[in-house]
Amino acid sequence: MIHWRPSSGFVGDVIPFSHAGRIWLFYLLDERPEDPAAGASGMPWALVSTTDFVQYTDHGVVLRAGDRDADDFDCYTGSVVADGSRLHLFYTGHNPRRGDADGSFQVVCHAVSDGDPTQWTKPPSQTFGAPPGYVPQDWRDPFVYRTAPDQPWQLVLAARYADAPDRRCGVVARLISDDLEKWTIAEPLWEPHRFITQECPDVFRWGDWWYLVYSEFTDAFQTRYRIARGPDGPWLAPSRDTVDGRAFYAAKSVSYDGRRFFVGWIPTKQGDSDAGAWQWAGDLAVLEAHQEDDGTLAFGFPAEVLAAFPAVRQVELRPVDGAAAEPGQGAVDRYAAWVGDVAPEHCLITLTVDVHESTQALGLLLHASADGEEATVVRLEPQRDRIVLDRWPRGRTGPAQWQVDGDVPYAVELERACPLPPGRHTVRVLLDGTTGQVVVDDRVALSFRRYDPGPGHVGVFVTDGAMELVELQVARSAG
């Protein structure tokens, strides 16, 4: 299982940390009690570790939630840093029994370790909340870092200004410390006047660029990033400022062996249904980032994940509904599709095509019926420079043929801007049970979940245009 999930519970926000030759993936363990406020225990941090994002070691719960009356009844998102041989864990403390009419308070908490990421102690009296001018209900997700080894520690948080427009009061607040114990408020790192708040902030340097990563739920549930030439900004939007779509949330990054990985989670849906609402937490997922010359990040699968699918076979396609014998041979003014055999539940699908100029749409049919009429559709739209996730059949409002959700052109929360000029393009799809990830040209990623996949054939299609099929292959895992 590439998209890891604990045997009991779900993966919430992931806090990646590189230490002692491994990647330690702390995460919020969501056990989904029916009534969290009435529960006997709150949310803890659990931990898995890896070196390749293929094989995982489960270390279980490593930071236990506080008791019923503690500030940290719930242990929410934070960060882990090393200071010499000592490790420091900063996290958000929350107790639903505290607060006022506007909601419960959030505070920054601290834990320490002598070097073992699985063993933590909570020092007393190192908890602090929001200072005047900030909303106490949002003072969370502390991220600690240094701009240089001889510089003070900085701590940034997801915060909100008091007495400001609700939709635009979000700010990345900042504090400074010399000893990781006493913190002094400083100028905010970023004030975009755009979001309710910027969750799970993450700051790092890569070459000549600095990056500020955050997740937001104002314009869209997405992880975004900004770039700057210095650690204090100004923070600029790159040409592609999102990591993935709706189904890859709260991603934070980690540097390991000279590479940069973004780790988030693919959410479940209510009722384990494709029609259900997105839920908080789900399955762990990873993308590797690559830096382009202008600072923009491209995202793809780690090489180790691709190598975990060594059993490769070419897909033999057959035309359906009167299509030409092969893609690229028929008319350019219609829809044409070709369908192959059933793909495994866990596999890697690779499609390489040469796209002709002015082609309206093309892509992959996943989980398809033998005639291609029912499918999960990965659709590339060159005229709009985007990819979308669609499915057929869609929902219906009644029994008549016109009572179909034809006014929903695709899963509107699952779309990505994607450069698609004429020429060669490669689409990779990782299917892992109910979860999936699409990567186009090792640049643009789109994660998704599908509960009712259908028969399982794989195929290709093109609409009002033409493409030449270079390769379509399915690879099984080694296990």
Side-chain angles (χ1 to χ4, degrees):
M1 180 184 294
I2 302 295
H3 298 153
W4 188 87
R5 181 196 291 186
S7 58
S8 177
F10 302 86
V11 175
D13 297 354
V14 181
I15 300 92
F17 175 57
S18 179
H19 175 70
R22 294 186 70 80
I23 301 173
W24 303 84
L25 301 170
F26 300 88
Y27 66 94
L28 308 191
L29 175 58
D30 184 9
E31 298 174 289
R32 295 191 179 169
E34 292 186 8
D35 184 1
S41 61
M43 180 173 290
W45 279 29
L47 174 65
V48 295
S49 64
T50 186
T51 59
D52 56 11
F53 295 101
V54 176
Q55 301 293 328
Y56 293 92
T57 300
D58 187 357
H59 302 278
V61 171
V62 295
L63 183 72
R64 298 195 176 277
D67 61 32
R68 184 178 177 84
D69 297 320
D71 288 329
D72 64 347
F73 174 82
D74 290 312
C75 300
Y76 288 159
T77 307
S79 61
V80 178
V81 295
D83 186 18
S85 62
R86 197 168 176 82
L87 305 181
H88 294 260
L89 187 157
F90 293 87
Y91 64 104
T92 305
H94 168 262
N95 193 321
R97 299 168 191 84
R98 299 188 175 188
D100 55 23
D102 294 326
S104 54
F105 294 98
Q106 295 178 339
V107 295
V108 173
C109 303
H110 184 199
V112 295
S113 167
D114 289 333
D116 184 350
T118 69
Q119 301 293 325
W120 297 92
T121 302
K122 301 176 183 179
S125 305
Q126 291 193 18
T127 296
F128 61 91
Y134 290 92
V135 176
Q137 289 79 21
D138 279 296
W139 186 252
R140 55 189 164 90
D141 307 342
F143 181 82
V144 177
Y145 65 103
R146 273 177 165 162
T147 59
D150 60 345
Q151 294 298 307
W153 293 97
Q154 300 195 33
L155 183 153
V156 293
L157 302 109
R160 286 191 293 144
Y161 282 135
D163 302 321
D166 183 70
R167 180 185 169 190
R168 305 184 187 280
C169 65
V171 58
V172 180
R174 177 164 51 172
L175 298 94
I176 304 293
S177 175
D178 291 321
D179 59 8
L180 292 170
E181 293 184 5
K182 300 180 180 65
W183 295 92
T184 303
I185 194 73
E187 288 294 318
L189 184 65
W190 191 43
E191 303 176 67
H193 298 274
R194 179 176 174 182
F195 306 114
I196 295 172
T197 190
Q198 293 81 242
E199 297 190 294
C200 304
D202 178 6
V203 180
F204 63 89
R205 182 180 183 179
W206 194 351
D208 295 330
W209 292 97
W210 283 83
Y211 292 82
L212 168 62
V213 183
Y214 61 95
S215 293
E216 59 94 3
F217 46 83
T218 309
D219 294 347
F221 260 90
Q222 286 185 294
T223 301
R224 299 181 182 269
Y225 68 97
R226 293 292 182 264
I227 61 176
R229 288 296 191 181
D232 298 317
W235 298 103
L236 308 175
S239 58
R240 299 185 307 275
D241 74 335
T242 55
V243 176
D244 200 316
R246 172 64 177 89
F248 186 83
Y249 195 64
K252 294 169 75 73
S253 77
V254 62
S255 176
Y256 178 72
D257 197 24
R259 300 156 68 187
R260 177 69 56 173
F261 301 95
F262 280 66
V263 191
W265 42 268
I266 298 176
T268 54
K269 283 195 163 188
Q270 191 171 21
D272 291 347
S273 167
D274 290 324
W278 293 108
Q279 294 175 302
W280 189 87
D283 299 65
L284 184 150
V286 63
L287 294 167
E288 183 171 359
H290 302 277
Q291 190 181 53
E292 298 182 353
D293 291 341
D294 64 354
T296 301
L297 297 179
F299 294 94
F301 295 118
E304 295 85 346
V305 171
L306 298 179
F309 298 88
V312 179
R313 68 171 177 85
Q314 303 299 318
V315 177
E316 295 185 4
L317 296 171
R318 58 185 178 278
V320 296
D321 193 26
E326 296 179 4
Q329 294 183 347
V332 298
D333 60 349
R334 57 162 289 173
Y335 172 87
W338 298 261
V339 177
D341 293 334
V342 173
E345 183 181 6
H346 304 271
C347 67
L348 178 70
I349 300 170
T350 302
L351 168 68
T352 303
V353 293
D354 283 326
V355 181
H356 292 199
E357 189 173 2
S358 301
T359 296
Q360 185 187 73
L362 70 149
L364 274 165
L365 303 175
L366 309 173
H367 313 128
S369 56
D371 61 3
E373 285 299 285
E374 298 183 7
T376 302
V377 182
V378 178
R379 188 166 68 243
L380 284 63
E381 300 179 347
Q383 294 178 357
R384 295 182 173 90
D385 277 334
R386 73 179 178 188
I387 59 172
V388 303
L389 198 287
D390 201 354
R391 68 174 187 260
W392 195 270
R394 296 181 182 144
R396 302 185 74 95
T397 59
Q401 81 276 7
W402 53 267
Q403 290 176 310
V404 64
D405 287 338
D407 58 344
V408 181
Y410 51 88
V412 293
E413 70 273 24
L414 295 180
E415 64 166 324
R416 297 295 317 283
C418 182
L420 293 168
R424 184 158 296 187
H425 296 279
T426 298
V427 183
R428 292 188 176 92
V429 180
L430 171 60
L431 295 180
D432 197 13
T434 66
T435 56
Q437 288 180 284
V438 181
V439 170
V440 179
D441 294 333
D442 292 325
R443 298 179 82 189
V444 178
L446 179 65
S447 299
F448 65 93
R449 188 178 290 276
R450 187 76 200 268
Y451 284 104
D452 185 17
H457 295 265
V458 62
V460 299
F461 72 95
V462 63
T463 303
D464 289 326
M467 66 177 183
E468 294 177 13
L469 179 65
V470 178
E471 181 181 65
L472 176 62
Q473 63 182 31
V474 174
R476 293 177 181 266
S477 64

